[in-house]
Amino acid sequence: MVTLENELLKASFVLKGAELQSLKSKTADLEYIWDGNPKDWAKHSPVLFPIVGALKDNAYVYHDERYELPRHGFARDMEFELESKSANEVVFTLRSSTETKKHYPFDFTLSLIYTLKSHGLSCTYRVHNPSDTDLLFSVGGHPAFATPVSSGLSYEDYYIRFNQDEGLVINKIADNLISDEVQTITLKDKTLSLKHELFYEDALVMKSLKSNKISLQNKVNSHGLHFSFEGFPYFGIWAAKDADFICLEPWCGIADSVQHNGTLSDKEGIVILSAEESWQRSWQVDIF
């Protein structure tokens, strides 16, 4: 376990998947990250790389070769290196290997950089292409926040407030793929009330979210969080069936559509990174 700590907060991580497993308010003695109860969902905040979501038939074609990848890719299940650590920042790194190239024929360096702030934590995904050819990838966040955080509350006491959206256009999922069907959820005062039934048909997937800041709050007390993100064209909100958490998921990439032809370069949302170039995106959570 690797930790970062200041007067107000303590964050903990593991090398497997460079996963954030705890973000705790020391002053309020409250844990904001889902505890990973395997009865519902055994993860906390996995990184999605080199794909986001599922591939059609769990496979893709690149340069006339067929490769298989599981949903959300492989990085979340691999051991990262502890690249560096300071008082308020830790860097975990995963590099391409003989093993990764069995499923993904690219050279890459993926770094997760966590920086502890006065009242929160930022997570930066940095991808570097060390080769002399293009690197094709997707990357996304999947942090799960406990709901409720404090005792005496229920899931239905919580709501999500969007800073810009009056409604949500949801792209429906069919067999883990993006279908042609869309649904519009009208928000009252830019607010979505949480209920378990929202996720009975899988995640709420959005291609046109305007907001770059989402607040998770409740109707009973003043504890909650602000979740900020920039430069992610897709966003997902998800929880396992009847589980007491909510995932806020900024994505650069999306699951295949039901009509996708299987060619990686034609995949919606794929990022193409030129030789020797680097790319990064960040999200931040501030707790209160």
Side-chain angles (χ1 to χ4, degrees), residues 6 29 45 58 74 101 140 238 241 249 257:
N6 60 24
D29 193 26
S45 181
N58 294 313
F74 51 68
K101 287 187 175 182
W238 176 78
K241 186 175 181 180
E249 306 180 39
S257 72

Side-chain angles (χ1 to χ4, degrees), residues 48-62 65-78 99-106 108 136-138 176-177 256 262 264 267 270:
L48 315 182
F49 179 90
I51 58 167
V52 170
L55 298 170
K56 191 174 183 180
D57 299 322
N58 294 313
Y60 65 92
V61 174
Y62 180 72
E65 293 287 335
R66 185 179 186 272
Y67 300 88
E68 294 188 356
L69 272 178
R71 190 181 189 187
H72 296 321
F74 51 68
R76 60 182 179 168
D77 294 317
M78 298 194 73
E99 186 62 29
T100 65
K101 287 187 175 182
K102 293 176 183 177
H103 308 282
Y104 181 65
F106 298 94
F108 68 86
L136 280 63
F137 71 93
S138 295
N176 293 328
L177 304 179
D256 280 351
L264 187 63
K267 179 175 172 57
I270 201 75

Side-chain angles (χ1 to χ4, degrees), residues 58 124 134 253:
N58 294 313
T124 297
D134 288 344

